[in-house]
Every structure is written in structure tokens, then in C-alpha cells.
Amino acid sequence: DSTCSDTVEKLMNGKKIDVCFTSPPYNAGDNSGLVTGKKGSFSKNNFYENESQDSKTENEYVDFLNSFFNCILINCSTEYKIFININYNYNSPSSYIKFVNNCLEKTNLKETIIWKKSSAMPIPLGLTRLTEFIFLFSHTTKNDFIQESKKDTLFNFYEIKNGGSQIKGHNAAFPIELPFELIKIVKGNNIYEPFCGTGSTMVASNQLNRKCYGMELDPKYCDVIVARMIKLDSTLPIKRNGVLLTNSEV
């Protein structure tokens, strides 16, 4: 449970969070069914297999967001960077604004990053959103981004394809390239992902030779993460409750 500070502390095992990259649940609830728009009818799938875990009142959702953010701050290093991909949702349209305002009472908004996707789901009662916000929080506002050379210019706009990033049963998975491109421009070896989902942040961290501490409530998604990591690096040891598993047990 990423809203429990003791659980996050146990996960970190004495280490401090240097960088967090995450996309919290949308609070979309039951998003399935047939939708009719100008271009005809289409079927919608739930973002997550268990939509009941994604159905909260607006106040409950804001409290939930504040709780996981507070757990990060309690367990972070002094040079932390927190990337949070969160946006407007028709079930709780002002939640992300309230959440950002609450964050600003505790830390600084270092940058607002725009992610332009290659595809987006039509929204019957609004504009189809092709971009999403990623808010970067830090205790400092100084320029401490990592540049490959002094001539490089880093922008706050990333055009990254999202098509094909979804995995069966999880229609909100973001592409590995998104956390990869953002984690690589900040310092810190200990990456934290409070909502691992299908493990994209963990895969990106491994590709960058950084260590990811991730948590996920849904056992099915945990299995997906383990399978992805083994495919990425078959030499990784897999443990359950601290006990090393054999290949047949995995």
C-alpha cells in the first residue's frame, strides 16, 4: 500500500528515494460499455481489470493522492525529484488541481512537462485529449538537469508514441520511453514507483542501470512485472517473502 509510510519505508529498506516516476490511478471507475460519437460507436474497456479499485469520490481521491505523496516526502533524499503524470478526469475534474495545490504547500513545482501521445481515447462529453501533464516536484528550483553536452537544450515537451504500450487487462500502461527519457535527465540511483502497474518504470530504470523500488497491489500485475523483468534480464534473482525462487517456481 503506497499510502502507508511504514510500508514504503519497509520497501526502501534503509535507502532513500532519489527519483519517483509514477502515474496514479485515474479514478475512472467503470469505464466500459458502448459509446456513440460523431464518428460512430465504439467499445470502451476499463483502464484496469478491477475497476472497483478506481472508484472514489472526489474528496476520497484527493485524500488518496495526498497520502501517497506524503509517503514519498517522508522517505525521500534531500535531492529528490518526483515526476507525477496526472490529469483531468471526468469523474473528478478538479482533483489534480487540488492535489498540485496541496503539493505546493510542501515542496516546489520545478517544471510542468507536456507529453504528446500518438493516439487518444475519444471523450463523448469533451475534447479528445492528445496530451497529458507530468508535474515535476523538487525541494529546489535550481537548474540541475543532466545534459549530455553543454550544447544540448532540454525541452518540457515530449512527443512519445503510446500505441501498443497497453497490456491485456491494463489499458492505462504508459510506454517505457516516457519514464526512460525523464529519469535519465535527473540524478539519483534509487527510483521509486508507488503504482507499478505493468512495470514500465522498473524496466526503464533497469535500462538506465538504476535500481527501482516498486509496489503494486494487484497480484496479476505483479506477475506481469516479474515476467517482463525476467525477459529483460534472465539473470535477475526472484524472491518471494525474502526466499529465492527456482526457475520452476517462478
Side-chain angles (χ1 to χ4, degrees):
D1 183 354
S2 59
T3 66
C4 175
S5 179
D6 290 342
T7 304
V8 178
E9 183 179 6
K10 182 179 180 180
L11 171 72
M12 296 307 298
N13 194 29
K15 302 293 184 181
K16 293 295 183 180
I17 299 168
D18 297 319
V19 180
C20 172
F21 186 98
T22 192
S23 180
Y26 287 134
N27 198 36
D30 187 354
N31 193 46
S32 62
L34 191 68
V35 176
T36 301
K38 291 183 179 180
K39 296 184 179 181
S41 299
F42 62 93
S43 296
K44 292 172 66 180
N45 297 315
N46 289 319
F47 290 118
Y48 315 100
E49 189 163 273
N50 185 356
E51 73 276 1
S52 64
Q53 296 180 358
D54 199 38
S55 298
K56 295 178 173 62
T57 66
E58 182 161 15
N59 287 337
E60 287 173 341
Y61 186 52
V62 172
D63 287 343
F64 163 74
L65 296 173
N66 290 336
S67 294
F68 97 82
F69 189 81
N70 289 339
C71 289
I72 298 173
L73 292 181
I74 292 172
N75 290 281
C76 68
S77 66
T78 57
E79 297 295 325
Y80 65 85
K81 303 291 185 296
I82 305 172
F83 293 95
I84 299 182
N85 170 219
I86 186 168
N87 289 270
Y88 167 91
N89 185 293
Y90 58 83
N91 278 355
S92 47
S94 60
S95 294
Y96 83 99
I97 298 174
K98 294 178 180 178
F99 170 61
V100 171
N101 282 334
N102 288 335
C103 292
L104 294 178
E105 295 179 1
K106 305 176 181 69
T107 188
N108 297 314
L109 178 61
K110 186 177 181 68
E111 185 57 81
T112 302
I113 296 160
I114 307 297
W115 170 32
K116 182 182 177 183
K117 303 180 289 183
S118 56
S119 61
M121 181 180 292
I123 300 172
L125 301 179
L127 303 176
T128 298
R129 291 190 297 276
L130 196 56
T131 61
E132 294 188 13
F133 292 127
I134 300 174
F135 297 100
L136 172 55
F137 298 98
S138 175
H139 82 290
T140 176
T141 56
K142 68 179 182 179
N143 183 10
D144 54 358
F145 291 108
I146 299 173
Q147 296 171 265
E148 293 183 2
S149 73
K150 292 183 179 180
K151 295 182 180 180
D152 286 344
T153 300
L154 298 177
F155 297 97
N156 74 330
F157 180 85
Y158 287 79
E159 190 168 354
I160 296 174
K161 292 181 179 181
N162 61 312
S165 60
Q166 285 71 33
I167 292 177
K168 186 177 180 181
H170 196 301
N171 293 307
F174 48 76
I176 297 170
E177 187 181 0
L178 188 64
F180 183 94
E181 291 297 324
L182 294 175
I183 291 174
K184 80 175 186 179
I185 64 172
V186 294
K187 297 178 181 179
N189 290 321
N190 297 326
I191 314 301
Y192 173 58
E193 168 60 284
F195 308 104
C196 256
T198 59
S200 298
T201 299
M202 187 167 284
V203 172
S205 300
N206 185 276
Q207 292 175 340
L208 289 165
N209 295 316
R210 310 211 198 172
K211 186 171 184 177
C212 182
Y213 297 80
M215 54 172 63
E216 172 56 48
L217 277 174
D218 194 317
K220 178 177 180 178
Y221 296 150
C222 291
D223 289 340
V224 171
I225 295 166
V226 171
R228 290 184 80 182
M229 294 305 296
I230 293 175
K231 185 176 181 180
L232 183 69
D233 184 354
S234 61
T235 66
L236 287 173
I238 308 297
K239 297 180 181 180
R240 180 184 292 125
N241 297 327
V243 179
L244 187 67
L245 302 183
T246 64
N247 290 336
S248 61
E249 290 175 320
V250 173

